[in-house]
Amino acid sequence: MAGRLLSIGECMVELMQAEGDFLRKGYAGDTFNTAYYARLFLPKDWSVDYFTAVGTDTVSDEMLAFIEKTGVGTGYIRRVEGRSPGLYMIHLKDGERSFSYWRSVSAAKTLADDADHLRATIEASDIVVFSGITLAILAPTAAETLLLELRRAKAAGKLVVFDPNIRPRLWNDKQYMLETISAGARASSLIMPSFDDEAVHFGDADIAATIARYRGLGVGNIVVKDGAKGVTLSFAERPETFVPSARVERIVDTTSAGDSFNGAFLARYAADGDPQAAATFAASIAANVIQHHGALVPKDKLTA
Ligand code: ADP
């Protein structure tokens, strides 16, 4: 059955330290990474599109060309005069990574500014993916515009997928952060949180507490990720199940573990609606991804 997946958020320019003072350029962002992995594993009769805003400058052109090359569609992406994509730099010191960000005026902050375009794009989709980072970069009124459209999509029976991806440094105010993440959950029909984040920021004592809290917000389907241990699946009308993570002997780079899990999970879940099989597949893909450098691992390096 053919369909359309839409992922909404911010893709940034990534600069990584290379030899000496040289920098290697790439592109990444949680919702884009998820779209990338969904595209790798969805059947060809599914389309995968990215929704954001970019500028009209050369670096925006290059980013769109890169996204297109991965097979993810850019047809819905708005161009905004006078803005540029956000940028971050990865510093490597004694094997430890640290990050600097330049994203305070990024074009993606305006992604919800054309509400009609946003509505028409969501209406044309079957699965809509967003994250806590998508909400964090938007001004409160823009976040409300997006949430309104997502609630409409959920009410219309679309699969609205939310990864809270809680990043406190992106939010000015903790209370607003927790309220907005909760509003994101209410607008979604499938939530895919990481237990570590939920325990730290919402104070959940265990995975059962995370599941109970999101159930209480009206989320029908829940996948709680717990790193090397595995995921707990709580899907409407099915018994709760646990799917262990695959064993990894040597972790190279955990960047994108959660995003690749989400993308691979959605690709399988869209095909047959079986969360258990989707989680088993996604665990094996995420285990492959963390044995390679970078967020976007080529398909030929991934074996399920
Ligand atoms: P996030 O990267 O969003 O914090 P997690 O750390 O929970 O998410 O990891 C997401 C998924 O990646 C896990 O559900 C698991 O499938 C896989 N994963 C992460 N860490 C490991 C690990 N050490 N060994 C095997 N699989 C892992």
Side-chain angles (χ1 to χ4, degrees):
M1 192 190 69
R4 293 164 171 267
L5 183 145
L6 180 73
S7 188
I8 304 176
E10 177 172 32
C11 182
M12 285 180 287
V13 178
E14 174 191 274
L15 295 179
M16 186 175 328
Q17 193 178 327
E19 292 301 300
D21 277 340
F22 285 100
L23 293 167
R24 184 173 301 121
K25 186 172 66 180
Y27 305 91
D30 65 337
T31 46
F32 173 66
N33 303 342
T34 297
Y36 169 86
Y37 287 101
R39 175 66 287 167
L40 285 191
F41 300 114
L42 272 167
K44 285 288 159 260
D45 57 358
W46 272 74
S47 65
V48 176
D49 275 274
Y50 197 54
F51 189 94
T52 188
V54 298
T56 53
D57 53 357
T58 306
V59 68
S60 296
D61 293 346
E62 288 174 356
M63 178 184 281
L64 294 190
F66 174 83
I67 293 175
E68 282 284 335
K69 232 167 72 185
T70 68
V72 172
T74 60
Y76 295 119
I77 296 179
R78 272 177 56 240
R79 296 284 198 138
V80 181
E81 193 82 46
R83 293 254 189 170
S84 294
L87 180 150
Y88 70 103
M89 195 184 285
I90 304 175
H91 314 277
L92 275 175
K93 190 158 182 258
D94 306 326
E96 287 291 316
R97 293 148 53 96
S98 63
F99 299 84
S100 300
Y101 291 91
W102 293 264
R103 68 194 306 189
S104 55
V105 290
S106 74
K109 284 174 160 296
T110 70
L111 68 83
D113 286 6
D114 183 343
D116 292 340
H117 175 59
L118 179 65
R119 174 172 297 188
T121 308
I122 290 175
E123 276 177 354
S125 310
D126 303 296
I127 300 180
V128 183
V129 179
F130 72 113
S131 78
I133 296 177
T134 312
L135 296 175
I137 64 164
L138 300 177
T141 49
E144 193 39 55
T145 303
L146 175 61
L147 288 167
L148 179 76
E149 296 308 329
L150 294 167
R151 288 193 290 267
R152 275 173 53 94
K154 178 181 180 179
K158 297 181 191 295
L159 184 68
V160 180
V161 185
F162 180 49
D163 183 341
N165 240 335
I166 306 173
R167 299 287 179 272
R169 62 189 281 176
L170 293 179
W171 302 85
N172 293 327
D173 178 77
K174 177 164 182 188
Q175 195 52 34
Y176 175 71
M177 172 179 91
L178 299 180
E179 281 166 10
T180 309
I181 296 285
S182 300
R186 269 189 221 99
S188 64
S189 38
L190 166 58
I191 191 163
M192 307 184 77
S194 289
F195 177 65
D196 278 358
D197 292 349
E198 305 296 314
V200 170
H201 301 291
F202 281 99
D204 296 342
D206 50 27
I207 288 169
T210 302
I211 291 173
R213 186 167 48 79
Y214 285 127
R215 277 250 173 274
L217 294 174
V219 190
N221 305 301
I222 303 169
V223 179
V224 183
K225 292 170 280 184
D226 193 13
K229 292 184 206 135
V231 296
T232 304
L233 306 173
S234 175
F235 276 62
E237 289 146 37
R238 285 174 183 258
E240 197 169 295
T241 50
F242 178 77
V243 176
S245 295
R247 287 259 317 254
V248 175
E249 297 297 334
R250 201 174 77 88
I251 297 171
V252 174
D253 178 0
T254 57
T255 306
S256 210
D259 305 335
S260 61
F261 183 95
N262 293 352
F265 179 92
L266 291 174
R268 280 297 156 97
Y269 185 63
D272 64 9
D274 178 352
Q276 177 97 13
T280 304
F281 174 70
S284 74
I285 295 303
N288 271 263
V289 166
I290 63 177
Q291 293 176 68
H292 295 91
H293 284 289
L296 308 174
V297 178
K299 192 173 188 180
D300 58 9
K301 295 213 169 92
L302 304 172
T303 45

